[in-house]
Amino acid sequence: MFGELKKWVDELPLTGTKANNNNIGTRKGARINVYQFCKSSGVIASPTSTRGQFTGDREEIMNMLDWHEANYRSAGSACYAAPALQQAASDFMNTRNRAYSVGGGRKRIIAFITDSTFADVSKFSNSMQILNSLNVNIFSGAIRRYADATKAN
């Protein structure tokens, strides 16, 4: 999975701005942040140079993905995604990330990639209200070994 994400990053137009540069104005391109989230214990950001901030720098993104690949946490059959939505809502509102102030044309996207089912959908509502108010688009993809979600996945 991480190999495919890296290929995607190579194709994605990035801003070229590092995580510590939040003054990107209307510069075209994407800035990315990656979290692992499925355990009930919360959300983990990469401790690399991005430290949980958005970046448009290819090297920083690859380092972030390398760290997540080396420190991958399996979710098992049930994934707790509410903490990830709370973190995303916070990130899009947080002045440190300035994701809300980079121009009206910039898209805000959350992409969930999981190999399990969400066990806490009933806890999504507060975060979803914030994300909806910010016009955040949410996509979800499941990667499974078999067609049906089972414990064997």
Side-chain angles (χ1 to χ4, degrees), residues 9-61:
V9 168
D10 281 336
E11 298 295 323
L12 191 66
L14 301 170
T15 62
T17 55
K18 295 197 176 281
N20 64 359
N21 179 4
N22 289 320
N23 187 19
I24 63 170
T26 57
R27 183 178 302 196
K28 293 185 186 290
R31 286 172 61 91
I32 296 173
N33 198 355
V34 177
Y35 290 109
Q36 290 188 60
F37 60 86
C38 277
K39 297 272 187 178
S40 61
S41 59
V43 180
I44 294 180
S46 165
T48 62
S49 60
T50 59
R51 293 177 309 283
Q53 295 185 65
F54 291 91
T55 179
D57 180 74
R58 183 190 177 283
E59 182 179 356
E60 285 185 341
I61 294 168

Side-chain angles (χ1 to χ4, degrees), residues 118-152:
F118 294 152
D120 58 349
V121 174
S122 64
K123 296 181 180 178
F124 286 10
S125 63
N126 289 342
S127 298
M128 287 301 297
Q129 287 176 2
I130 293 169
L131 295 168
N132 286 336
S133 74
L134 295 170
N135 296 318
V136 175
N137 294 296
I138 300 176
F139 301 91
S140 179
I143 299 173
R144 297 194 175 108
R145 290 185 221 155
Y146 309 104
D148 296 322
T150 65
K151 291 187 184 216

